[in-house]
Amino acid sequence: MYPSAHELNNLEQQNIQLSLQQLEIDNQPEGQEKKSKICKISQQIKKNNFSLKYDRLFALGGMLSGGICLFSGILALFTIQRLGRQAGKSAKQLHANFSKVSKKMRLIFLVLPTSLILSFSCSLFIFTGGERTIHIIGALVICIGLFISDLNRNLTKHDNEISELKGILVTPETNPRIWKIVTQIAHKLEINTISNNIVLCIGGGIRVSEKETYLYPEEIQLNGYTLYLDSTYINYFTLPELCSVIAHELNHIANNDLTLSEDISQQVNKLIGTITTLSDSKILFPAYLLSNYFYYSFSKAIRKWNYSLIYKGDLQAIKVIPKEHLALAISKIYLLRTQIDQALKNYSYKAYLTDLPLDYVNQYISQTQTPLLRQLLEKPSSACQTQPSLARRLSCIKYRELNHLSGLLVSISPTTLLRDLFNYELNELQTAYKVYVPKKAEENINQLKNIANQHQKIITIKQGGIIRLIMRVLIASIFIFITYAFYKGISNDADRLKAVITFSAFSLYFLYRCYIMYRYIGSVLLTLKPQGLALPCFDKIIPWEQISLYYVKSNYHTQLELFLSPNYQIGKIKPCYADIIYNPQKKQIKITAYEIRGKIKLADCYQLITEYKEIAEARRELQQYSQ
């Protein structure tokens, strides 16, 4: 659209002719026709003058902004691929790479649509002669608003929410023994930074955190690094096993892992916010595809980086504690985790308030079957796991005496460590927890009733594809026409035969794809019901509580990915016309759709599934409270 000198000369000549025509019309008698002709000529002269003055300027601006759009898109793709590969190979560089590049990528995601709109606006100016000024200014205002909002989101400091926890603060005065143990472990590890606070709690696991926490019932606000000791696990530990776990957690403080993890989590949240903003606009769709590609290319590397922090903590811990004690400790955590969580959940339903919390947990574990270590080691790892498998952690510390370890873990029974080490805090903790449970239960019941009373409809999402079918028919028609042209146009029989066979094969292939698409149109893709998710390829409904993870990816097509609970049996698989792939090892379901028939799109399923899951879980928990 760049105007040449010849085109500009033609516009000048056209203006001269229009001026002469205007002079001739001025000599004509007054009337409506004269006014109409003068008005048209004046508009044309004005448009030509605008083109003479601004066309070359806007053409240069359009080419410049289009070049920026193309350059930023290519730069983003190369940046994603290069740094994604680096992060996957070197976990140590992931944090620096991701933090640095995510800021650049958010800027590119705004430069890309902005330059695209500028290029389009310049073209529109040239085509319309400046008549669409208001529309173009509105588009530019939207781009500037997006840029300012993203800049404001990056500059605004998000205050960390203060969490609440039920636990007892362990001080050097009340329990000098545990503080001495922690200090001695830190001295052996040759680290100067230890935990500022130690809290004995029920549930939550043994961990360290630097988030501000409001501690009940003592009503103390905790700042700095806090070491949380879960009494439900300590109840099954020996002293060397507890020391190995404490050594692992102290290494997270010494290596500054908590700050790095929090920083990278904020970067991910900001990026997800940018992706969500871009996904709502068709104009910004190219930037949305890039941001989506960027996020998924780094998600695997981020998970590896988190795994590496755990491996590093284990390797540092076995420098001061024999690896057998760490192997026993982490094996007990993995074996008892599900049972302890379920026991505390049952206790919170107000049904066992006559028992103390730890007594009920011990009773629940003794009455249920603990999985064998061999079963846990053979269990395949899932893509949605936030922590590495037990087999990988034992392999990391090079512990190979698995038969000996299995013999020690045949029957896991309580030890006397918890009572000996925390005799002062334990009774107070259990009493406070027992009083806390009914109050928390009443609050939960009221919240659950509000959620469970919401009405749910049965929503069926069907395959579309009319537009794609038309395109495939057109492509098949083109190949048929080319085949006919070669048949009529080539005189050599050998060449004609080769060409006809080749293009006939292409024509049959596309006609077959048209037939498949025609059969798919209108078929059921998935059905959302109050009881669960119904898919046409399975003979039974998947309950909502069995769906552990789900998300939607949008690239060339839209894909809904679901991860089911590891122990759930999905049922028999039957043929269907929906594009659904099931991976039984990973318990993963991929549902792909190019077009959807109806107002609801496949991308809307994420929010719909979230709502259905919340209501189903609320109703199930209310039943637990009423039992």
Side-chain angles (χ1 to χ4, degrees), residues 16-31:
I16 294 173
Q17 294 177 2
L18 290 172
S19 299
L20 293 175
Q21 291 179 11
Q22 191 174 12
L23 290 174
E24 293 178 2
I25 294 173
D26 287 339
N27 297 326
Q28 295 179 2
E30 297 292 334

Side-chain angles (χ1 to χ4, degrees), residues 1 58-74 107-125 135-136 139-140 142-144 146 278 281-290:
M1 291 184 296
F58 280 120
L60 287 171
M63 287 189 289
L64 178 63
S65 56
I68 292 173
C69 176
L70 182 63
F71 176 75
S72 61
I74 295 173
L107 182 62
I108 290 175
F109 297 155
L110 290 171
V111 170
L112 186 70
T114 303
S115 58
L116 189 65
I117 291 175
L118 284 174
S119 181
F120 175 75
S121 302
C122 292
S123 304
L124 194 62
F125 260 123
H135 298 80
I136 297 169
L140 296 178
I142 292 173
C143 291
I144 294 171
L146 284 170
L278 296 173
S281 174
K282 293 182 178 179
I283 298 176
L284 308 180
F285 193 70
Y288 167 67
L289 293 180
L290 275 177

Side-chain angles (χ1 to χ4, degrees), residues 563-579:
F563 289 91
L564 307 180
S565 301
N567 299 325
Y568 178 68
Q569 300 299 324
I570 201 166
K572 295 181 180 180
I573 300 176
K574 57 184 181 180
C576 69
Y577 293 124
D579 188 0

Side-chain angles (χ1 to χ4, degrees), residues 404-544:
H404 177 64
L405 186 63
S406 299
L408 294 175
L409 295 172
V410 169
S411 60
I412 304 176
S413 58
T415 65
T416 60
L417 176 66
L418 182 63
R419 183 64 64 180
D420 295 340
L421 198 58
F422 298 98
N423 187 42
Y424 172 79
E425 294 87 1
L426 191 57
N427 293 331
E428 186 177 354
L429 173 65
Q430 292 198 94
T431 303
Y433 189 83
K434 188 176 179 181
V435 174
Y436 167 78
V437 166
K439 295 180 181 179
K440 190 66 178 178
E442 291 180 4
E443 296 178 3
N444 290 341
I445 287 173
N446 294 330
Q447 293 177 357
L448 293 173
K449 284 182 178 179
N450 293 332
I451 298 173
N453 290 332
Q454 297 179 20
H455 181 67
Q456 289 177 294
K457 297 180 180 179
I458 297 177
I459 300 176
T460 300
I461 298 177
K462 296 183 178 181
Q463 289 269 18
I466 297 294
I467 297 175
R468 292 184 63 83
L469 177 61
I470 294 173
M471 294 299 295
R472 289 183 179 181
V473 169
L474 288 175
I475 294 173
S477 302
I478 290 171
F479 276 104
I480 293 172
F481 176 76
I482 293 173
T483 304
Y484 178 77
F486 273 106
Y487 179 77
K488 288 292 187 181
I490 300 177
S491 57
N492 190 339
D493 292 338
D495 293 339
R496 179 193 298 177
L497 183 61
K498 291 178 182 178
V500 169
I501 291 175
T502 302
F503 285 101
S504 296
F506 280 109
S507 302
L508 291 173
Y509 170 73
F510 280 104
L511 286 173
Y512 174 74
R513 287 175 62 87
C514 291
Y515 172 70
I516 296 297
M517 177 62 72
Y518 173 75
R519 294 183 65 186
Y520 281 5
I521 293 174
S523 61
V524 175
L525 191 65
L526 55 92
T527 303
L528 304 171
K529 297 183 178 181
Q531 300 82 11
L533 181 67
L535 299 177
C537 59
F538 302 115
D539 61 348
K540 65 178 183 179
I541 296 176
I542 304 172
W544 294 116

Side-chain angles (χ1 to χ4, degrees), residues 331 334-336 339 369-379 390 402 405-407 409-412:
S331 298
Y334 276 75
L335 288 169
L336 297 175
Q339 293 171 296
Q369 184 178 2
T370 304
L372 298 175
L373 181 66
R374 177 177 52 80
Q375 296 175 346
L376 200 60
L377 293 175
E378 293 176 353
K379 184 179 178 182
L390 177 60
L402 298 180
L405 186 63
S406 299
L409 295 172
V410 169
S411 60
I412 304 176

Side-chain angles (χ1 to χ4, degrees), residues 174-316:
T174 59
N175 199 329
R177 186 182 175 189
I178 187 65
W179 276 94
K180 184 179 179 181
I181 291 172
V182 173
T183 305
Q184 288 176 347
I185 294 172
H187 180 70
K188 290 181 180 180
L189 291 170
E190 297 180 354
I191 59 177
N192 299 321
T193 306
I194 64 171
S195 175
N196 302 99
N197 312 291
I198 298 177
V199 173
L200 184 68
C201 56
I202 296 177
I206 300 176
R207 56 191 172 88
V208 288
S209 176
E210 62 173 347
K211 290 185 178 180
E212 294 184 7
T213 305
Y214 196 76
L215 190 65
Y216 285 98
E218 299 176 349
E219 298 183 355
I220 301 173
Q221 185 170 331
L222 304 178
N223 297 305
Y225 293 109
T226 302
L227 173 63
Y228 296 97
L229 300 176
D230 189 348
S231 56
T232 57
Y233 289 105
I234 298 175
N235 196 26
Y236 293 89
F237 283 168
T238 61
L239 183 58
E241 292 168 5
L242 177 61
C243 291
S244 66
V245 177
I246 292 175
H248 172 97
E249 299 300 334
L250 290 180
N251 276 291
H252 287 315
I253 300 176
N255 297 329
N256 202 26
D257 295 340
L258 304 177
T259 304
L260 294 178
S261 299
E262 182 65 25
D263 185 34
I264 201 168
S265 297
Q266 291 180 0
Q267 295 289 343
V268 171
N269 292 335
K270 288 180 181 179
L271 183 63
I272 292 174
T274 305
I275 293 174
T276 305
T277 304
L278 296 173
S279 63
D280 296 332
S281 174
K282 293 182 178 179
I283 298 176
L284 308 180
F285 193 70
Y288 167 67
L289 293 180
L290 275 177
S291 59
N292 229 4
Y293 180 42
F294 173 70
Y295 174 71
Y296 286 111
S297 65
F298 268 83
S299 60
K300 187 176 181 180
I302 292 171
R303 187 167 63 252
K304 287 183 179 179
W305 181 72
N306 288 326
Y307 287 3
S308 71
L309 300 182
I310 298 175
Y311 298 149
K312 189 175 181 180
D314 289 341
L315 292 173
Q316 293 292 331

